[in-house]
């Protein structure tokens, strides 16, 4: 959905954003059930939140188009609603440590 190899060119972001989204998604489902929260909506919410955390904001309309292109459409309002549940589900812990700066320095 997001990252350097995103199918939609407007959703292409650095690998750091994709790894942040993955880490936040995993952090959410450590404490929450897949049966209670739709993973498709939560994935889009994690991608949207990761772009905010890493300071490379994306228009939510592009995420909606990206999910349609992946044959798993998620409406804009569902992404916004899922984002609120997502932030509550990770207990507002948005701090993410990634090794990219250290690894790329060598």
């Amino acid at each position: 959905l997001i990252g350097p190899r995103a199918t939609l060119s407007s959703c292409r972001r650095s690998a750091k954003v994709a790894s942040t989204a993955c880490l936040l998604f995993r952090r959410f489902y450590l404490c929450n059930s897949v049966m209670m929260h739709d993973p498709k909506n939560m994935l889009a919410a994690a991608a949207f939140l990761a772009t905010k955390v890493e300071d490379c904001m994306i228009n939510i309309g592009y995420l909606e188009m990206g999910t349609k292109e992946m044959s798993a459409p998620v409406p804009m309002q569902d992404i916004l609603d899922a984002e609120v549940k997502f932030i509550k589900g990770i207990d507002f812990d948005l701090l993410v440590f990634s090794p990219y700066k250290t690894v790329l320095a060598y």
Side-chain angles (χ1 to χ4, degrees):
L1 186 60
I2 59 169
R5 294 187 207 146
T7 55
L8 199 63
S9 63
S10 55
C11 290
R12 289 196 180 124
R13 297 291 186 264
S14 68
K16 187 174 181 184
V17 176
S19 69
T20 299
C22 183
L23 188 122
L24 290 173
F25 187 73
R26 291 179 72 193
R27 190 181 289 174
F28 178 80
Y29 279 114
L30 281 174
C31 301
N32 296 289
S33 172
V34 178
M35 302 300 284
M36 297 294 290
H37 303 283
D38 185 17
K40 185 173 64 170
N41 293 350
M42 290 302 152
L43 179 66
F48 188 52
L49 190 60
T51 60
K52 290 179 179 181
V53 168
E54 294 299 333
D55 256 355
C56 55
M57 188 67 182
I58 191 172
N59 188 342
I60 194 166
Y62 294 144
L63 278 177
E64 183 180 22
M65 285 190 296
T67 57
K68 282 180 186 173
E69 197 165 300
M70 292 173 43
S71 302
V74 179
M76 194 180 306
Q77 191 58 44
D78 287 355
I79 296 172
L80 293 173
D81 293 341
E83 184 186 19
V84 174
K85 292 177 190 173
F86 193 87
I87 292 173
K88 287 180 184 176
I90 60 173
D91 294 327
F92 302 92
D93 185 17
L94 299 175
L95 190 59
V96 175
F97 296 103
S98 63
Y100 285 104
K101 194 179 277 188
T102 308
V103 170
L104 294 175
Y106 290 104

